[in-house]
Amino acid sequence: MANSQNMIYSVSRKSPLPLISKIAFMVLVLTSTSVNANAIYTWIDDKGVTHYSQQPPASNQASSKKLYSEDIEPKHVGTIAPIKSVADLNQPSELEQKAAAISLADKQQAQQVCKNAQHSLNVLTTHTKLTKKNNATGKLESMTEEQRQAAITEQKERMKLFCKT
């Protein structure tokens, strides 16, 4: 019993220094392995496909290059929406110009286009199962949801152009 108490006493009195040195050693080992990950190999295979890898290519790939990640310029990720210039925003589109020409030439026709667009939009938004005449065959075909949404967008555009109050 005395030996077990001495053993417990001696274990509890050990310095935490060996634990800290083990942790420091592990951190050093983990950070030193990242140096090997900086090499990037690139090569083109027999089919013309470019490959990038951290592993060297097979020995039959004579045209391989070794790159280093520090030398590679990072590129922006994502997309950037095109920006219209202020001059483009102030000028009417071709469709708007045509609508303005129709409105100037024949106010009654513009009002009729507006009424037709309002009616078509009402039908398109209140009904989901619609048919449309195929211009090529002359037969009625069911509209898909994509076609219905495209038609809704088209009618809203017509209303915006011709239903000016």
Side-chain angles (χ1 to χ4, degrees):
M1 182 95 175
N3 284 342
S4 65
Q5 286 178 347
N6 287 341
M7 188 177 233
I8 292 173
Y9 181 73
S10 64
V11 169
S12 63
R13 301 244 351 187
K14 280 191 175 179
S15 168
L17 187 60
L19 179 61
I20 292 174
S21 63
K22 287 180 184 178
I23 292 172
F25 177 73
M26 291 298 289
V27 168
L28 180 66
V29 168
L30 291 174
T31 57
S32 66
T33 57
S34 66
V35 173
N36 294 334
N38 289 336
I40 299 172
Y41 297 92
T42 179
W43 69 95
I44 300 173
D45 65 7
D46 299 334
K47 297 177 183 174
V49 177
T50 303
H51 297 270
Y52 296 93
S53 175
Q54 290 181 341
Q55 303 298 322
S59 60
N60 61 354
Q61 302 295 335
S63 65
S64 67
K65 287 181 7 183
K66 187 174 184 179
L67 305 172
Y68 293 96
S69 59
E70 296 89 26
D71 300 334
I72 299 173
E73 183 72 27
K75 299 291 183 188
H76 293 289
V77 177
T79 58
I80 298 173
I83 300 172
K84 289 186 175 181
S85 67
V86 176
D88 291 342
L89 292 175
N90 294 335
Q91 293 180 353
S93 69
E94 184 180 340
L95 191 60
E96 290 172 332
Q97 290 173 357
K98 288 180 180 179
I102 291 172
S103 295
L104 285 175
D106 192 356
K107 297 259 186 215
Q108 188 177 6
Q109 182 184 4
Q111 289 175 349
Q112 189 62 40
V113 170
C114 174
K115 287 172 88 175
N116 289 342
Q118 289 172 338
H119 174 73
S120 295
L121 182 63
N122 184 30
V123 170
L124 288 164
T125 55
T126 56
H127 298 80
T128 55
K129 294 186 179 186
L130 297 169
T131 57
K132 185 176 183 179
K133 185 177 181 180
N134 185 336
N135 292 336
T137 62
K139 294 183 181 180
L140 292 177
E141 296 178 349
S142 294
M143 287 180 74
T144 65
E145 183 60 24
E146 291 82 15
Q147 290 172 332
R148 189 175 79 88
Q149 291 300 323
I152 289 172
T153 304
E154 181 182 344
Q155 298 308 321
K156 285 181 179 179
E157 184 68 22
R158 281 188 179 166
M159 287 176 57
K160 186 175 96 176
L161 294 172
F162 290 101
C163 299
K164 296 183 182 192
T165 55

mmCIF file of all heavy atoms in Angstrom, residues 50-91:
data_model
loop_
_atom_site.group_PDB
_atom_site.id
_atom_site.type_symbol
_atom_site.label_atom_id
_atom_site.label_comp_id
_atom_site.label_asym_id
_atom_site.label_seq_id
_atom_site.Cartn_x
_atom_site.Cartn_y
_atom_site.Cartn_z
ATOM 1 N N THR A 50 -5.253 18.533 -69.580
ATOM 2 C CA THR A 50 -4.266 19.071 -68.657
ATOM 3 C C THR A 50 -4.606 18.607 -67.243
ATOM 4 O O THR A 50 -5.742 18.728 -66.802
ATOM 5 C CB THR A 50 -4.250 20.605 -68.710
ATOM 6 O OG1 THR A 50 -4.000 21.010 -70.062
ATOM 7 C CG2 THR A 50 -3.176 21.176 -67.813
ATOM 8 N N HIS A 51 -3.603 18.094 -66.536
ATOM 9 C CA HIS A 51 -3.786 17.605 -65.165
ATOM 10 C C HIS A 51 -2.950 18.449 -64.215
ATOM 11 O O HIS A 51 -1.859 18.900 -64.563
ATOM 12 C CB HIS A 51 -3.328 16.146 -65.051
ATOM 13 C CG HIS A 51 -4.118 15.201 -65.889
ATOM 14 N ND1 HIS A 51 -5.238 14.578 -65.429
ATOM 15 C CD2 HIS A 51 -3.952 14.789 -67.171
ATOM 16 C CE1 HIS A 51 -5.732 13.806 -66.390
ATOM 17 N NE2 HIS A 51 -4.963 13.932 -67.458
ATOM 18 N N TYR A 52 -3.474 18.644 -62.992
ATOM 19 C CA TYR A 52 -2.757 19.319 -61.919
ATOM 20 C C TYR A 52 -2.807 18.396 -60.712
ATOM 21 O O TYR A 52 -3.872 17.893 -60.367
ATOM 22 C CB TYR A 52 -3.413 20.655 -61.575
ATOM 23 C CG TYR A 52 -3.371 21.657 -62.711
ATOM 24 C CD1 TYR A 52 -4.419 21.754 -63.610
ATOM 25 C CD2 TYR A 52 -2.282 22.495 -62.877
ATOM 26 C CE1 TYR A 52 -4.379 22.664 -64.650
ATOM 27 C CE2 TYR A 52 -2.231 23.407 -63.904
ATOM 28 C CZ TYR A 52 -3.286 23.487 -64.786
ATOM 29 O OH TYR A 52 -3.244 24.387 -65.810
ATOM 30 N N SER A 53 -1.680 18.205 -60.047
ATOM 31 C CA SER A 53 -1.657 17.297 -58.910
ATOM 32 C C SER A 53 -0.482 17.636 -58.011
ATOM 33 O O SER A 53 0.507 18.226 -58.448
ATOM 34 C CB SER A 53 -1.535 15.847 -59.392
ATOM 35 O OG SER A 53 -1.392 14.975 -58.313
ATOM 36 N N GLN A 54 -0.568 17.227 -56.751
ATOM 37 C CA GLN A 54 0.570 17.356 -55.845
ATOM 38 C C GLN A 54 1.457 16.122 -55.929
ATOM 39 O O GLN A 54 2.551 16.119 -55.394
ATOM 40 C CB GLN A 54 0.079 17.567 -54.411
ATOM 41 C CG GLN A 54 -0.558 18.919 -54.235
ATOM 42 C CD GLN A 54 -1.033 19.140 -52.820
ATOM 43 O OE1 GLN A 54 -1.216 18.198 -52.059
ATOM 44 N NE2 GLN A 54 -1.237 20.398 -52.469
ATOM 45 N N GLN A 55 0.988 15.097 -56.619
ATOM 46 C CA GLN A 55 1.783 13.892 -56.841
ATOM 47 C C GLN A 55 2.464 14.008 -58.188
ATOM 48 O O GLN A 55 1.859 14.454 -59.154
ATOM 49 C CB GLN A 55 0.882 12.650 -56.817
ATOM 50 C CG GLN A 55 0.084 12.480 -55.549
ATOM 51 C CD GLN A 55 0.961 12.312 -54.339
ATOM 52 O OE1 GLN A 55 1.995 11.671 -54.407
ATOM 53 N NE2 GLN A 55 0.564 12.917 -53.231
ATOM 54 N N PRO A 56 3.711 13.588 -58.310
ATOM 55 C CA PRO A 56 4.363 13.645 -59.618
ATOM 56 C C PRO A 56 3.671 12.701 -60.599
ATOM 57 O O PRO A 56 3.120 11.676 -60.205
ATOM 58 C CB PRO A 56 5.800 13.206 -59.330
ATOM 59 C CG PRO A 56 5.774 12.577 -57.999
ATOM 60 C CD PRO A 56 4.577 13.074 -57.268
ATOM 61 N N PRO A 57 3.685 13.060 -61.889
ATOM 62 C CA PRO A 57 3.002 12.219 -62.881
ATOM 63 C C PRO A 57 3.761 10.916 -63.105
ATOM 64 O O PRO A 57 4.891 10.741 -62.660
ATOM 65 C CB PRO A 57 3.023 13.086 -64.133
ATOM 66 C CG PRO A 57 4.188 13.989 -63.952
ATOM 67 C CD PRO A 57 4.298 14.237 -62.485
ATOM 68 N N ALA A 58 3.106 10.006 -63.826
ATOM 69 C CA ALA A 58 3.749 8.739 -64.165
ATOM 70 C C ALA A 58 5.005 9.031 -64.991
ATOM 71 O O ALA A 58 5.118 10.056 -65.655
ATOM 72 C CB ALA A 58 2.783 7.864 -64.946
ATOM 73 N N SER A 59 5.929 8.128 -64.993
ATOM 74 C CA SER A 59 7.220 8.371 -65.643
ATOM 75 C C SER A 59 7.098 8.549 -67.153
ATOM 76 O O SER A 59 7.974 9.130 -67.776
ATOM 77 C CB SER A 59 8.173 7.209 -65.337
ATOM 78 O OG SER A 59 7.613 6.001 -65.832
ATOM 79 N N ASN A 60 6.011 8.094 -67.762
ATOM 80 C CA ASN A 60 5.871 8.219 -69.205
ATOM 81 C C ASN A 60 5.394 9.608 -69.631
ATOM 82 O O ASN A 60 5.250 9.872 -70.812
ATOM 83 C CB ASN A 60 4.921 7.152 -69.760
ATOM 84 C CG ASN A 60 3.518 7.270 -69.177
ATOM 85 O OD1 ASN A 60 3.280 8.071 -68.291
ATOM 86 N ND2 ASN A 60 2.609 6.458 -69.673
ATOM 87 N N GLN A 61 5.169 10.507 -68.707
ATOM 88 C CA GLN A 61 4.753 11.868 -69.025
ATOM 89 C C GLN A 61 6.000 12.754 -69.080
ATOM 90 O O GLN A 61 6.462 13.278 -68.092
ATOM 91 C CB GLN A 61 3.773 12.412 -67.968
ATOM 92 C CG GLN A 61 2.533 11.598 -67.786
ATOM 93 C CD GLN A 61 1.658 11.593 -69.027
ATOM 94 O OE1 GLN A 61 1.707 12.503 -69.822
ATOM 95 N NE2 GLN A 61 0.883 10.540 -69.193
ATOM 96 N N ALA A 62 6.529 12.939 -70.257
ATOM 97 C CA ALA A 62 7.780 13.683 -70.417
ATOM 98 C C ALA A 62 7.558 15.189 -70.323
ATOM 99 O O ALA A 62 8.468 15.919 -69.977
ATOM 100 C CB ALA A 62 8.407 13.333 -71.760
ATOM 101 N N SER A 63 6.379 15.672 -70.635
ATOM 102 C CA SER A 63 6.147 17.111 -70.685
ATOM 103 C C SER A 63 5.560 17.659 -69.387
ATOM 104 O O SER A 63 4.738 18.552 -69.408
ATOM 105 C CB SER A 63 5.211 17.437 -71.849
ATOM 106 O OG SER A 63 3.947 16.854 -71.608
ATOM 107 N N SER A 64 5.990 17.155 -68.256
ATOM 108 C CA SER A 64 5.456 17.641 -66.991
ATOM 109 C C SER A 64 6.275 18.823 -66.498
ATOM 110 O O SER A 64 7.463 18.945 -66.789
ATOM 111 C CB SER A 64 5.446 16.526 -65.947
ATOM 112 O OG SER A 64 6.765 16.167 -65.619
ATOM 113 N N LYS A 65 5.600 19.722 -65.772
ATOM 114 C CA LYS A 65 6.264 20.879 -65.181
ATOM 115 C C LYS A 65 5.987 20.871 -63.694
ATOM 116 O O LYS A 65 4.929 20.450 -63.247
ATOM 117 C CB LYS A 65 5.717 22.177 -65.777
ATOM 118 C CG LYS A 65 6.161 22.421 -67.191
ATOM 119 C CD LYS A 65 5.657 23.710 -67.828
ATOM 120 C CE LYS A 65 4.926 24.675 -67.001
ATOM 121 N NZ LYS A 65 4.428 25.852 -67.727
ATOM 122 N N LYS A 66 6.953 21.342 -62.928
ATOM 123 C CA LYS A 66 6.782 21.439 -61.487
ATOM 124 C C LYS A 66 6.588 22.916 -61.150
ATOM 125 O O LYS A 66 7.419 23.752 -61.491
ATOM 126 C CB LYS A 66 8.004 20.880 -60.767
ATOM 127 C CG LYS A 66 7.843 20.793 -59.267
ATOM 128 C CD LYS A 66 9.035 20.086 -58.645
ATOM 129 C CE LYS A 66 8.853 19.894 -57.177
ATOM 130 N NZ LYS A 66 9.985 19.202 -56.567
ATOM 131 N N LEU A 67 5.465 23.231 -60.536
ATOM 132 C CA LEU A 67 5.147 24.587 -60.132
ATOM 133 C C LEU A 67 5.186 24.675 -58.619
ATOM 134 O O LEU A 67 5.070 23.669 -57.924
ATOM 135 C CB LEU A 67 3.744 24.977 -60.620
ATOM 136 C CG LEU A 67 3.449 24.836 -62.097
ATOM 137 C CD1 LEU A 67 1.974 25.082 -62.346
ATOM 138 C CD2 LEU A 67 4.283 25.797 -62.901
ATOM 139 N N TYR A 68 5.315 25.867 -58.113
ATOM 140 C CA TYR A 68 5.263 26.086 -56.677
ATOM 141 C C TYR A 68 4.108 27.028 -56.379
ATOM 142 O O TYR A 68 3.892 28.009 -57.099
ATOM 143 C CB TYR A 68 6.586 26.648 -56.159
ATOM 144 C CG TYR A 68 7.700 25.646 -56.287
ATOM 145 C CD1 TYR A 68 8.551 25.672 -57.385
ATOM 146 C CD2 TYR A 68 7.871 24.653 -55.341
ATOM 147 C CE1 TYR A 68 9.552 24.737 -57.524
ATOM 148 C CE2 TYR A 68 8.869 23.705 -55.474
ATOM 149 C CZ TYR A 68 9.711 23.760 -56.567
ATOM 150 O OH TYR A 68 10.690 22.824 -56.701
ATOM 151 N N SER A 69 3.363 26.726 -55.337
ATOM 152 C CA SER A 69 2.140 27.470 -55.053
ATOM 153 C C SER A 69 2.424 28.944 -54.767
ATOM 154 O O SER A 69 1.570 29.785 -54.990
ATOM 155 C CB SER A 69 1.380 26.836 -53.896
ATOM 156 O OG SER A 69 2.187 26.812 -52.741
ATOM 157 N N GLU A 70 3.628 29.281 -54.327
ATOM 158 C CA GLU A 70 3.954 30.686 -54.072
ATOM 159 C C GLU A 70 4.042 31.462 -55.379
ATOM 160 O O GLU A 70 3.846 32.662 -55.426
ATOM 161 C CB GLU A 70 5.294 30.820 -53.339
ATOM 162 C CG GLU A 70 5.322 30.208 -51.959
ATOM 163 C CD GLU A 70 5.723 28.742 -51.989
ATOM 164 O OE1 GLU A 70 6.431 28.321 -52.921
ATOM 165 O OE2 GLU A 70 5.315 28.025 -51.078
ATOM 166 N N ASP A 71 4.347 30.783 -56.489
ATOM 167 C CA ASP A 71 4.526 31.446 -57.783
ATOM 168 C C ASP A 71 3.215 31.619 -58.542
ATOM 169 O O ASP A 71 3.181 32.336 -59.539
ATOM 170 C CB ASP A 71 5.487 30.637 -58.660
ATOM 171 C CG ASP A 71 6.859 30.504 -58.014
ATOM 172 O OD1 ASP A 71 7.216 31.389 -57.212
ATOM 173 O OD2 ASP A 71 7.560 29.534 -58.317
ATOM 174 N N ILE A 72 2.146 30.966 -58.105
ATOM 175 C CA ILE A 72 0.879 31.004 -58.824
ATOM 176 C C ILE A 72 0.069 32.188 -58.326
ATOM 177 O O ILE A 72 -0.146 32.352 -57.134
ATOM 178 C CB ILE A 72 0.094 29.693 -58.636
ATOM 179 C CG1 ILE A 72 0.905 28.532 -59.180
ATOM 180 C CG2 ILE A 72 -1.263 29.779 -59.318
ATOM 181 C CD1 ILE A 72 0.296 27.189 -58.891
ATOM 182 N N GLU A 73 -0.378 33.021 -59.245
ATOM 183 C CA GLU A 73 -1.195 34.184 -58.913
ATOM 184 C C GLU A 73 -2.639 33.723 -58.676
ATOM 185 O O GLU A 73 -3.239 33.123 -59.567
ATOM 186 C CB GLU A 73 -1.150 35.182 -60.068
ATOM 187 C CG GLU A 73 -1.897 36.453 -59.812
ATOM 188 C CD GLU A 73 -1.214 37.370 -58.808
ATOM 189 O OE1 GLU A 73 0.027 37.294 -58.678
ATOM 190 O OE2 GLU A 73 -1.934 38.129 -58.145
ATOM 191 N N PRO A 74 -3.222 33.979 -57.510
ATOM 192 C CA PRO A 74 -4.602 33.558 -57.272
ATOM 193 C C PRO A 74 -5.563 34.364 -58.140
ATOM 194 O O PRO A 74 -5.355 35.544 -58.394
ATOM 195 C CB PRO A 74 -4.827 33.836 -55.789
ATOM 196 C CG PRO A 74 -3.766 34.776 -55.385
ATOM 197 C CD PRO A 74 -2.630 34.632 -56.354
ATOM 198 N N LYS A 75 -6.605 33.707 -58.593
ATOM 199 C CA LYS A 75 -7.627 34.340 -59.427
ATOM 200 C C LYS A 75 -8.865 34.610 -58.574
ATOM 201 O O LYS A 75 -9.092 33.966 -57.559
ATOM 202 C CB LYS A 75 -8.011 33.425 -60.601
ATOM 203 C CG LYS A 75 -6.871 33.110 -61.520
ATOM 204 C CD LYS A 75 -6.452 34.319 -62.300
ATOM 205 C CE LYS A 75 -5.343 33.941 -63.265
ATOM 206 N NZ LYS A 75 -4.762 35.065 -63.918
ATOM 207 N N HIS A 76 -9.658 35.579 -59.021
ATOM 208 C CA HIS A 76 -10.911 35.868 -58.338
ATOM 209 C C HIS A 76 -11.889 34.732 -58.590
ATOM 210 O O HIS A 76 -11.996 34.234 -59.698
ATOM 211 C CB HIS A 76 -11.509 37.176 -58.835
ATOM 212 C CG HIS A 76 -10.685 38.371 -58.472
ATOM 213 N ND1 HIS A 76 -10.586 38.848 -57.190
ATOM 214 C CD2 HIS A 76 -9.901 39.176 -59.223
ATOM 215 C CE1 HIS A 76 -9.798 39.885 -57.163
ATOM 216 N NE2 HIS A 76 -9.357 40.110 -58.391
ATOM 217 N N VAL A 77 -12.605 34.328 -57.549
ATOM 218 C CA VAL A 77 -13.571 33.256 -57.660
ATOM 219 C C VAL A 77 -14.955 33.878 -57.742
ATOM 220 O O VAL A 77 -15.274 34.823 -57.036
ATOM 221 C CB VAL A 77 -13.481 32.318 -56.437
ATOM 222 C CG1 VAL A 77 -14.529 31.238 -56.507
ATOM 223 C CG2 VAL A 77 -12.104 31.710 -56.359
ATOM 224 N N GLY A 78 -15.791 33.342 -58.640
ATOM 225 C CA GLY A 78 -17.150 33.829 -58.779
ATOM 226 C C GLY A 78 -17.319 34.583 -60.076
ATOM 227 O O GLY A 78 -16.451 34.601 -60.936
ATOM 228 N N THR A 79 -18.453 35.201 -60.202
ATOM 229 C CA THR A 79 -18.744 35.948 -61.418
ATOM 230 C C THR A 79 -19.076 37.377 -61.062
ATOM 231 O O THR A 79 -19.525 37.674 -59.952
ATOM 232 C CB THR A 79 -19.941 35.334 -62.171
ATOM 233 O OG1 THR A 79 -21.067 35.337 -61.301
ATOM 234 C CG2 THR A 79 -19.643 33.935 -62.621
ATOM 235 N N ILE A 80 -18.852 38.255 -61.998
ATOM 236 C CA ILE A 80 -19.168 39.659 -61.813
ATOM 237 C C ILE A 80 -20.212 40.015 -62.861
ATOM 238 O O ILE A 80 -20.028 39.751 -64.048
ATOM 239 C CB ILE A 80 -17.911 40.527 -61.973
ATOM 240 C CG1 ILE A 80 -16.876 40.162 -60.918
ATOM 241 C CG2 ILE A 80 -18.267 42.005 -61.885
ATOM 242 C CD1 ILE A 80 -15.559 40.847 -61.089
ATOM 243 N N ALA A 81 -21.291 40.597 -62.413
ATOM 244 C CA ALA A 81 -22.362 40.969 -63.325
ATOM 245 C C ALA A 81 -21.892 42.120 -64.210
ATOM 246 O O ALA A 81 -21.168 43.000 -63.756
ATOM 247 C CB ALA A 81 -23.598 41.382 -62.543
ATOM 248 N N PRO A 82 -22.282 42.107 -65.469
ATOM 249 C CA PRO A 82 -21.895 43.216 -66.341
ATOM 250 C C PRO A 82 -22.546 44.508 -65.873
ATOM 251 O O PRO A 82 -23.685 44.511 -65.402
ATOM 252 C CB PRO A 82 -22.407 42.799 -67.713
ATOM 253 C CG PRO A 82 -23.409 41.750 -67.464
ATOM 254 C CD PRO A 82 -23.062 41.104 -66.161
ATOM 255 N N ILE A 83 -21.801 45.566 -65.985
ATOM 256 C CA ILE A 83 -22.286 46.854 -65.531
ATOM 257 C C ILE A 83 -22.624 47.706 -66.751
ATOM 258 O O ILE A 83 -21.801 47.871 -67.649
ATOM 259 C CB ILE A 83 -21.223 47.563 -64.671
ATOM 260 C CG1 ILE A 83 -20.892 46.717 -63.445
ATOM 261 C CG2 ILE A 83 -21.698 48.949 -64.264
ATOM 262 C CD1 ILE A 83 -19.726 47.241 -62.653
ATOM 263 N N LYS A 84 -23.844 48.212 -66.781
ATOM 264 C CA LYS A 84 -24.243 49.093 -67.875
ATOM 265 C C LYS A 84 -23.720 50.491 -67.576
ATOM 266 O O LYS A 84 -23.726 50.938 -66.435
ATOM 267 C CB LYS A 84 -25.762 49.131 -68.012
ATOM 268 C CG LYS A 84 -26.371 47.872 -68.553
ATOM 269 C CD LYS A 84 -27.851 48.073 -68.791
ATOM 270 C CE LYS A 84 -28.473 46.864 -69.437
ATOM 271 N NZ LYS A 84 -29.894 47.050 -69.703
ATOM 272 N N SER A 85 -23.294 51.146 -68.616
ATOM 273 C CA SER A 85 -22.832 52.514 -68.440
ATOM 274 C C SER A 85 -24.036 53.429 -68.240
ATOM 275 O O SER A 85 -25.180 53.081 -68.563
ATOM 276 C CB SER A 85 -22.021 52.963 -69.650
ATOM 277 O OG SER A 85 -22.864 53.042 -70.786
ATOM 278 N N VAL A 86 -23.794 54.612 -67.734
ATOM 279 C CA VAL A 86 -24.866 55.571 -67.490
ATOM 280 C C VAL A 86 -25.522 55.963 -68.810
ATOM 281 O O VAL A 86 -26.733 56.143 -68.885
ATOM 282 C CB VAL A 86 -24.306 56.808 -66.757
ATOM 283 C CG1 VAL A 86 -25.374 57.873 -66.567
ATOM 284 C CG2 VAL A 86 -23.726 56.398 -65.424
ATOM 285 N N ALA A 87 -24.730 56.054 -69.880
ATOM 286 C CA ALA A 87 -25.290 56.409 -71.184
ATOM 287 C C ALA A 87 -26.259 55.327 -71.661
ATOM 288 O O ALA A 87 -27.298 55.631 -72.244
ATOM 289 C CB ALA A 87 -24.171 56.598 -72.199
ATOM 290 N N ASP A 88 -25.924 54.058 -71.422
ATOM 291 C CA ASP A 88 -26.805 52.961 -71.825
ATOM 292 C C ASP A 88 -28.098 52.957 -71.014
ATOM 293 O O ASP A 88 -29.158 52.595 -71.524
ATOM 294 C CB ASP A 88 -26.110 51.611 -71.668
ATOM 295 C CG ASP A 88 -24.994 51.416 -72.667
ATOM 296 O OD1 ASP A 88 -24.970 52.145 -73.683
ATOM 297 O OD2 ASP A 88 -24.136 50.537 -72.430
ATOM 298 N N LEU A 89 -28.031 53.355 -69.752
ATOM 299 C CA LEU A 89 -29.224 53.359 -68.913
ATOM 300 C C LEU A 89 -30.204 54.450 -69.349
ATOM 301 O O LEU A 89 -31.407 54.290 -69.226
ATOM 302 C CB LEU A 89 -28.835 53.566 -67.446
ATOM 303 C CG LEU A 89 -28.068 52.426 -66.789
ATOM 304 C CD1 LEU A 89 -27.649 52.818 -65.384
ATOM 305 C CD2 LEU A 89 -28.915 51.167 -66.742
ATOM 306 N N ASN A 90 -29.689 55.568 -69.846
ATOM 307 C CA ASN A 90 -30.554 56.674 -70.247
ATOM 308 C C ASN A 90 -31.167 56.471 -71.627
ATOM 309 O O ASN A 90 -32.170 57.073 -71.944
ATOM 310 C CB ASN A 90 -29.768 57.988 -70.213
ATOM 311 C CG ASN A 90 -29.369 58.354 -68.794
ATOM 312 O OD1 ASN A 90 -30.011 57.951 -67.849
ATOM 313 N ND2 ASN A 90 -28.299 59.111 -68.662
ATOM 314 N N GLN A 91 -30.555 55.635 -72.459
ATOM 315 C CA GLN A 91 -31.071 55.420 -73.801
ATOM 316 C C GLN A 91 -32.081 54.285 -73.797
ATOM 317 O O GLN A 91 -31.852 53.247 -73.181
ATOM 318 C CB GLN A 91 -29.933 55.085 -74.767
ATOM 319 C CG GLN A 91 -28.983 56.243 -74.984
ATOM 320 C CD GLN A 91 -27.871 55.870 -75.941
ATOM 321 O OE1 GLN A 91 -27.745 54.722 -76.337
ATOM 322 N NE2 GLN A 91 -27.049 56.847 -76.291
#
